[in-house]
């Protein structure tokens, strides 16, 4: 949230122009850069319209929360209005999406989308957009989870006329998503009066802001219902657009013997796997022949065991990229390729039978397998030599076959509490984006904790678990891994740091001494006692993440130094170039440092590196929290 005050005060600040300066300054503080000129113009043109409507309605004491950040995501609602209901006297909230559009028309194929001249592609109907915000906020804010009736949503197109946007009213409208236009301003004012009374809304706003942010909905824990029953995930903005784009492509394919490729691209935590599961569930329930494929053994095995725990047929929906060498062309309606950045040049390996060696690139095999192949990827999550899969390569393969290819980019991220500032800090810390390491400035979304020892790290995480949050420990691949454990014996404590000893996660698909198999380490509560590596953590998330930076990455002088001799990762061969090793080790720690949804606890085995991290994290501003004497270096204690 960038600013809050009563409607009367907001109107006065708009009149003096002070509000827009304050919004600009707060935006720069929260996001690390100034807002675009177009965003500032939208504030100047839209916020006074909303404030004036509230004051005309006699609701000057209603609290306005501007640019309200949805929990655990970087998405922002234009405004949340907080007050009391005029009839019940109970807390009442209205989420408002403000649009300057004067003309727009529904998409020919899908009324939940619309076409606006300013955008090259279809966008969500504003009523659909604000409905998603309402549903999402109810799912993740404890103040609303038990009272969904207290939330309403409105999209206000204050420059629009019936002639210009009348077609948009074809989209579904309900309590969470209603559409209003400037030509009929009186209807919007009456709507506000029906949801909000004249009483002050400051305490109601406080209730919303203090609402407990519950532990994140774990992807795997909900997969069974997602695939077998109904959507458990709320998709927002570009996520919904990606979802609708695929469903529309499937419909066209069925109606006209059509084939096209869809690419969904986005960084860590933008919701690619959530989209994949939502699509799989929807298509599966409607009898559309669909499979899900990845290059990740952990992810595929977990989906088979969790999503298909009671139905064998559900387990069979999850495949590997190299399983389509001999599949008949277009034998599937849809093939959802999750984590497509892990595709390889070819599916064949030394064990592949000669009869199955097609000579085709893996991306071509995947495209050929379905009428609508869907690729979800992040080009910057490659951690192993030989992994490939970029938008350009997929587009080139599609063009070679004369196929239409649509690309949907996911800009908002949901991992790391939706903290763009934290993700940017990690990227600059590791030299994966220019500018060099920067000081961490708390943004209230993500907590960063520096531990002085692995014991302290584990104690902090265990305290979080005692409060109902999920937590895992991970480390760089710097210790030998005993992969063969005799029956009846416990996992050997391979990760040894001083007097602290813990085992790696189980290697293989059977539980050992109460520790879950590798594929379930990230989702089974019994996985906490072991240390995970990048190959078991990639693709998963948990509320709190503990990361041990090993001797393969140390800070010396003014730069990071990687030591390939300190790495025990078998994927690094003598032939792997030094530059590739340096990049892949830093990518590995980027993956580990971005698994947490609420907080990350970091410990480095190297003293000079620990000092550098303390310098960047603002050592002079650290404070002691009530839990285990931990040093919180970002955010508040509310979420954790």
């Amino acid at each position: 949230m960038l600013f809050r005050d009563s409607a009367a005060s907001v109107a006065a600040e708009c009149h003096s122009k002070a509000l827009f300066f304050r919004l600009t300054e707060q935006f720069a503080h929260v996001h690390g850069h100034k807002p675009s000129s177009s965003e500032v113009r939208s504030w100047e043109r839209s916020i006074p319209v909303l404030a004036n409507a509230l004051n005309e309605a006699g609701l000057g004491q209603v609290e306005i929360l501007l640019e309200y950040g949805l929990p655990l995501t970087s998405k922002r609602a234009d405004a949340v209005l907080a007050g009391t209901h005029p009839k019940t006297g109970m807390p009442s909230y209205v989420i408002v999406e403000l649009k300057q559009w004067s003309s727009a028309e529904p998409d020919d194929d899908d009324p939940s989308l619309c076409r606006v001249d300013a955008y090259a592609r279809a966008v969500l109907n504003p009523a659909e957009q604000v409905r998603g915000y309402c549903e999402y906020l109810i799912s993740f804010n404890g103040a609303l989870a038990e009272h969904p009736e207290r939330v309403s949503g409105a999209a206000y197109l204050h420059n629009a006329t019936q002639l210009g946007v009348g077609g948009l009213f074809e989209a579904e409208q309900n309590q969470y998503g209603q559409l209003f236009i400037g030509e009929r301003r009186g209807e919007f004012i009456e709507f506000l009066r029906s949801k909000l009374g004249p009483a002050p809304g400051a305490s109601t706003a406080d209730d919303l802001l203090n609402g407990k942010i519950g532990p994140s909905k774990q992807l795997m824990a909900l997969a069974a219902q997602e695939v077998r029953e109904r959507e458990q995930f709320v998709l927002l903005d570009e996520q919904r657009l990606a979802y609708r784009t695929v469903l529309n492509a499937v419909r066209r394919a069925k109606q006209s013997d059509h084939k096209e490729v869809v690419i969904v691209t986005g960084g860590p935590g933008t919701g690619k796997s959530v989209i994949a599961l939502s699509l799989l569930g929807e298509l599966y329930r409607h009898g559309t022949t669909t499979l899900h494929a990845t290059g990740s053994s952990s992810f595929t095995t977990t989906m088979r065991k969790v999503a298909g725990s009671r139905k064998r047929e559900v387990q069979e929906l999850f495949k590997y990229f190299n399983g389509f060498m001999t599949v008949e062309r277009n034998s599937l309606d849809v093939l959802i390729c999750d984590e497509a950045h892990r595709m390889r040049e070819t599916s064949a390996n030394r064990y592949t039978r000669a009869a199955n060696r097609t000579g085709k690139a893996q991306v071509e095999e995947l495209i050929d397998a379905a009428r609508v192949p869907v690729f979800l990827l992040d080009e910057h999550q490659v951690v192993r030599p030989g992994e490939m899969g970029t938008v350009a390569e997929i587009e080139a393969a599609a063009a070679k076959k004369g196929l239409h290819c649509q690309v949907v980019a996911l800009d908002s991220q949901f991992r790391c509490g939706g903290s763009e500032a934290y993700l940017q800090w990690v990227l600059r810390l590791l030299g994966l984006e220019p500018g060099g390491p920067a000081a961490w400035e708390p943004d209230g979304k993500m907590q960063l904790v520096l531990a002085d020892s692995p014991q302290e790290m584990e104690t902090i995480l265990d305290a979080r678990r005692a409060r109902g949050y999920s937590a895992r420990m991970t480390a760089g691949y710097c210790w030998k891994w005993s992969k063969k454990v005799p029956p009846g014996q416990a996992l050997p404590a391979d990760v040894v740091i001083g007097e602290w000893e813990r085992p790696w996660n189980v290697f293989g698909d059977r539980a050992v001494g109460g520790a879950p198999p590798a594929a379930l380490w990230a989702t089974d509560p019994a996985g906490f006692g072991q240390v995970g590596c990048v190959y078991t953590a990639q693709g998963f998330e948990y509320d709190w993440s503990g990361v041990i930076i090993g001797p393969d990455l140390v800070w010396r002088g003014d730069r990071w130094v990687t030591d390939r001799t300190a790495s025990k990762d078998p994927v690094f061969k003598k032939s792997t170039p030094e530059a590739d090793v340096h990049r892949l080790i830093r990518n590995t720690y980027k993956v580990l440092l971005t698994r947490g949804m609420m907080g990350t606890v970091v410990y480095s085995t190297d003293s000079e590196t620990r000092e550098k991290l303390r310098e960047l994290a603002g050592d002079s501003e650290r404070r002691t929290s009530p839990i285990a004497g931990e040093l919180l270096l970002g955010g508040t204690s509310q979420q954790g």
Side-chain angles (χ1 to χ4, degrees), residues 354-383:
N356 292 342
R357 294 179 182 270
T358 64
K360 290 196 297 186
Q362 189 171 81
V363 63
E364 289 190 51
E365 293 172 352
L366 297 172
I367 289 175
D368 286 347
R371 290 199 176 277
V372 182
V374 181
F375 296 90
L376 302 106
L377 61 93
D378 172 8
E379 296 178 323
H380 305 295
Q381 278 205 60
V382 175
V383 297

Short mmCIF file of all heavy atoms in Angstrom, two decimals, residues 354-383:
data_model
loop_
_atom_site.label_atom_id
_atom_site.label_comp_id
_atom_site.label_asym_id
_atom_site.label_seq_id
_atom_site.Cartn_x
_atom_site.Cartn_y
_atom_site.Cartn_z
N ALA A 354 17.71 -47.91 -30.60
CA ALA A 354 17.93 -47.35 -31.93
C ALA A 354 16.61 -47.03 -32.61
O ALA A 354 16.48 -46.01 -33.32
CB ALA A 354 18.77 -48.31 -32.77
N ALA A 355 15.59 -47.89 -32.41
CA ALA A 355 14.31 -47.69 -33.07
C ALA A 355 13.61 -46.42 -32.61
O ALA A 355 12.75 -45.88 -33.32
CB ALA A 355 13.41 -48.90 -32.82
N ASN A 356 13.96 -45.94 -31.42
CA ASN A 356 13.31 -44.75 -30.88
C ASN A 356 14.10 -43.47 -31.12
O ASN A 356 13.64 -42.39 -30.72
CB ASN A 356 13.10 -44.92 -29.37
CG ASN A 356 12.09 -46.00 -29.05
OD1 ASN A 356 11.31 -46.41 -29.90
ND2 ASN A 356 12.11 -46.49 -27.81
N ARG A 357 15.24 -43.58 -31.76
CA ARG A 357 16.06 -42.38 -32.01
C ARG A 357 15.54 -41.67 -33.27
O ARG A 357 15.88 -42.04 -34.39
CB ARG A 357 17.53 -42.77 -32.17
CG ARG A 357 18.14 -43.32 -30.89
CD ARG A 357 19.60 -43.73 -31.07
NE ARG A 357 20.16 -44.30 -29.87
CZ ARG A 357 20.76 -43.58 -28.91
NH1 ARG A 357 20.89 -42.27 -29.06
NH2 ARG A 357 21.23 -44.17 -27.83
N THR A 358 14.71 -40.65 -33.05
CA THR A 358 14.06 -39.98 -34.17
C THR A 358 14.96 -38.97 -34.87
O THR A 358 14.72 -38.60 -36.01
CB THR A 358 12.81 -39.23 -33.67
OG1 THR A 358 13.23 -38.19 -32.76
CG2 THR A 358 11.86 -40.17 -32.96
N GLY A 359 15.99 -38.51 -34.17
CA GLY A 359 16.84 -37.47 -34.75
C GLY A 359 16.24 -36.08 -34.61
O GLY A 359 16.88 -35.09 -34.97
N LYS A 360 15.02 -35.98 -34.07
CA LYS A 360 14.37 -34.68 -33.90
C LYS A 360 14.80 -34.02 -32.60
O LYS A 360 15.12 -34.70 -31.63
CB LYS A 360 12.84 -34.84 -33.91
CG LYS A 360 12.26 -35.22 -35.25
CD LYS A 360 10.76 -34.99 -35.31
CE LYS A 360 10.00 -35.82 -34.33
NZ LYS A 360 8.53 -35.69 -34.49
N ALA A 361 14.75 -32.71 -32.58
CA ALA A 361 14.99 -31.96 -31.35
C ALA A 361 13.84 -32.24 -30.39
O ALA A 361 12.70 -32.48 -30.80
CB ALA A 361 15.10 -30.47 -31.63
N GLN A 362 14.13 -32.19 -29.08
CA GLN A 362 13.09 -32.47 -28.10
C GLN A 362 11.93 -31.50 -28.23
O GLN A 362 10.75 -31.89 -28.11
CB GLN A 362 13.67 -32.41 -26.69
CG GLN A 362 12.72 -32.90 -25.61
CD GLN A 362 13.39 -33.02 -24.25
OE1 GLN A 362 13.55 -32.03 -23.55
NE2 GLN A 362 13.78 -34.24 -23.88
N VAL A 363 12.21 -30.22 -28.51
CA VAL A 363 11.13 -29.25 -28.64
C VAL A 363 10.21 -29.61 -29.80
O VAL A 363 8.98 -29.42 -29.73
CB VAL A 363 11.69 -27.82 -28.80
CG1 VAL A 363 12.52 -27.67 -30.07
CG2 VAL A 363 10.57 -26.78 -28.75
N GLU A 364 10.75 -30.16 -30.88
CA GLU A 364 9.92 -30.58 -32.01
C GLU A 364 9.04 -31.76 -31.64
O GLU A 364 7.86 -31.83 -32.03
CB GLU A 364 10.79 -30.93 -33.22
CG GLU A 364 11.46 -29.74 -33.87
CD GLU A 364 12.11 -30.12 -35.19
OE1 GLU A 364 11.43 -30.74 -36.03
OE2 GLU A 364 13.29 -29.82 -35.37
N GLU A 365 9.59 -32.70 -30.89
CA GLU A 365 8.79 -33.85 -30.45
C GLU A 365 7.59 -33.39 -29.62
O GLU A 365 6.48 -33.91 -29.79
CB GLU A 365 9.65 -34.81 -29.63
CG GLU A 365 10.74 -35.51 -30.41
CD GLU A 365 11.69 -36.29 -29.53
OE1 GLU A 365 11.58 -36.17 -28.29
OE2 GLU A 365 12.53 -37.02 -30.08
N LEU A 366 7.83 -32.44 -28.74
CA LEU A 366 6.76 -31.96 -27.86
C LEU A 366 5.71 -31.19 -28.66
O LEU A 366 4.51 -31.32 -28.40
CB LEU A 366 7.34 -31.08 -26.76
CG LEU A 366 8.31 -31.81 -25.81
CD1 LEU A 366 8.98 -30.82 -24.85
CD2 LEU A 366 7.60 -32.90 -25.02
N ILE A 367 6.14 -30.39 -29.62
CA ILE A 367 5.19 -29.66 -30.47
C ILE A 367 4.35 -30.63 -31.30
O ILE A 367 3.14 -30.48 -31.44
CB ILE A 367 5.92 -28.66 -31.38
CG1 ILE A 367 6.45 -27.48 -30.54
CG2 ILE A 367 5.01 -28.14 -32.48
CD1 ILE A 367 7.29 -26.50 -31.33
N ASP A 368 5.00 -31.65 -31.84
CA ASP A 368 4.30 -32.61 -32.71
C ASP A 368 3.26 -33.42 -31.94
O ASP A 368 2.28 -33.90 -32.52
CB ASP A 368 5.30 -33.56 -33.36
CG ASP A 368 6.09 -32.89 -34.48
OD1 ASP A 368 5.69 -31.79 -34.91
OD2 ASP A 368 7.11 -33.48 -34.91
N ALA A 369 3.44 -33.60 -30.63
CA ALA A 369 2.61 -34.54 -29.87
C ALA A 369 1.17 -34.07 -29.70
O ALA A 369 0.28 -34.89 -29.50
CB ALA A 369 3.23 -34.79 -28.50
N ALA A 370 0.91 -32.74 -29.76
CA ALA A 370 -0.43 -32.24 -29.43
C ALA A 370 -0.87 -31.15 -30.39
O ALA A 370 -0.05 -30.46 -30.99
CB ALA A 370 -0.45 -31.70 -28.00
N ARG A 371 -2.19 -30.99 -30.47
CA ARG A 371 -2.74 -29.91 -31.29
C ARG A 371 -2.46 -28.54 -30.65
O ARG A 371 -2.30 -27.56 -31.36
CB ARG A 371 -4.24 -30.09 -31.49
CG ARG A 371 -4.57 -31.28 -32.39
CD ARG A 371 -5.98 -31.18 -32.94
NE ARG A 371 -6.23 -32.27 -33.87
CZ ARG A 371 -5.87 -32.25 -35.15
NH1 ARG A 371 -5.25 -31.21 -35.65
NH2 ARG A 371 -6.14 -33.28 -35.93
N VAL A 372 -2.42 -28.52 -29.32
CA VAL A 372 -2.07 -27.28 -28.62
C VAL A 372 -0.98 -27.59 -27.61
O VAL A 372 -1.26 -27.94 -26.46
CB VAL A 372 -3.29 -26.66 -27.92
CG1 VAL A 372 -2.88 -25.34 -27.23
CG2 VAL A 372 -4.42 -26.41 -28.89
N PRO A 373 0.28 -27.51 -28.02
CA PRO A 373 1.37 -27.63 -27.04
C PRO A 373 1.55 -26.31 -26.29
O PRO A 373 1.56 -25.24 -26.91
CB PRO A 373 2.59 -27.95 -27.91
CG PRO A 373 2.25 -27.46 -29.28
CD PRO A 373 0.76 -27.41 -29.40
N VAL A 374 1.64 -26.40 -24.96
CA VAL A 374 1.78 -25.21 -24.12
C VAL A 374 3.11 -25.30 -23.38
O VAL A 374 3.39 -26.30 -22.72
CB VAL A 374 0.62 -25.13 -23.10
CG1 VAL A 374 0.75 -23.87 -22.24
CG2 VAL A 374 -0.72 -25.16 -23.82
N PHE A 375 3.92 -24.26 -23.48
CA PHE A 375 5.23 -24.25 -22.84
C PHE A 375 5.25 -23.15 -21.77
O PHE A 375 4.99 -21.98 -22.07
CB PHE A 375 6.33 -23.97 -23.86
CG PHE A 375 6.48 -25.04 -24.91
CD1 PHE A 375 5.75 -24.97 -26.10
CD2 PHE A 375 7.33 -26.12 -24.72
CE1 PHE A 375 5.87 -25.96 -27.07
CE2 PHE A 375 7.46 -27.11 -25.68
CZ PHE A 375 6.72 -27.03 -26.86
N LEU A 376 5.54 -23.54 -20.53
CA LEU A 376 5.67 -22.58 -19.44
C LEU A 376 7.13 -22.57 -19.00
O LEU A 376 7.68 -23.63 -18.66
CB LEU A 376 4.76 -22.96 -18.27
CG LEU A 376 3.28 -23.05 -18.62
CD1 LEU A 376 2.85 -24.51 -18.68
CD2 LEU A 376 2.42 -22.29 -17.62
N LEU A 377 7.77 -21.41 -19.01
CA LEU A 377 9.22 -21.40 -18.76
C LEU A 377 9.72 -20.10 -18.16
O LEU A 377 9.07 -19.06 -18.22
CB LEU A 377 9.96 -21.70 -20.07
CG LEU A 377 9.75 -20.71 -21.23
CD1 LEU A 377 10.83 -19.64 -21.23
CD2 LEU A 377 9.74 -21.44 -22.56
N ASP A 378 10.90 -20.22 -17.57
CA ASP A 378 11.68 -19.08 -17.08
C ASP A 378 13.09 -19.26 -17.62
O ASP A 378 13.80 -20.19 -17.22
CB ASP A 378 11.69 -19.05 -15.55
CG ASP A 378 12.64 -18.00 -14.97
OD1 ASP A 378 13.17 -17.19 -15.75
OD2 ASP A 378 12.84 -18.00 -13.75
N GLU A 379 13.49 -18.42 -18.52
CA GLU A 379 14.77 -18.60 -19.20
C GLU A 379 15.96 -18.47 -18.26
O GLU A 379 17.08 -18.83 -18.63
CB GLU A 379 14.90 -17.58 -20.34
CG GLU A 379 13.86 -17.78 -21.43
CD GLU A 379 13.95 -16.75 -22.54
OE1 GLU A 379 14.24 -15.58 -22.23
OE2 GLU A 379 13.75 -17.11 -23.70
N HIS A 380 15.74 -17.99 -17.04
CA HIS A 380 16.85 -17.73 -16.12
C HIS A 380 16.91 -18.73 -14.98
O HIS A 380 17.51 -18.45 -13.95
CB HIS A 380 16.74 -16.31 -15.58
CG HIS A 380 16.67 -15.27 -16.64
ND1 HIS A 380 17.72 -15.03 -17.51
CD2 HIS A 380 15.67 -14.44 -17.02
CE1 HIS A 380 17.37 -14.07 -18.35
NE2 HIS A 380 16.13 -13.71 -18.08
N GLN A 381 16.33 -19.92 -15.17
CA GLN A 381 16.40 -20.94 -14.12
C GLN A 381 17.19 -22.16 -14.58
O GLN A 381 16.97 -23.26 -14.08
CB GLN A 381 15.00 -21.37 -13.68
CG GLN A 381 14.38 -20.42 -12.67
CD GLN A 381 13.34 -21.10 -11.80
OE1 GLN A 381 13.63 -22.05 -11.10
NE2 GLN A 381 12.12 -20.60 -11.85
N VAL A 382 18.07 -22.00 -15.49
CA VAL A 382 18.92 -23.11 -15.93
C VAL A 382 20.03 -23.31 -14.91
O VAL A 382 20.80 -22.39 -14.62
CB VAL A 382 19.53 -22.82 -17.32
CG1 VAL A 382 20.51 -23.91 -17.71
CG2 VAL A 382 18.43 -22.71 -18.37
N VAL A 383 20.12 -24.52 -14.31
CA VAL A 383 21.14 -24.78 -13.30
C VAL A 383 22.02 -25.97 -13.66
O VAL A 383 22.96 -26.28 -12.93
CB VAL A 383 20.51 -25.03 -11.90
CG1 VAL A 383 19.78 -23.78 -11.42
CG2 VAL A 383 19.58 -26.22 -11.92
#
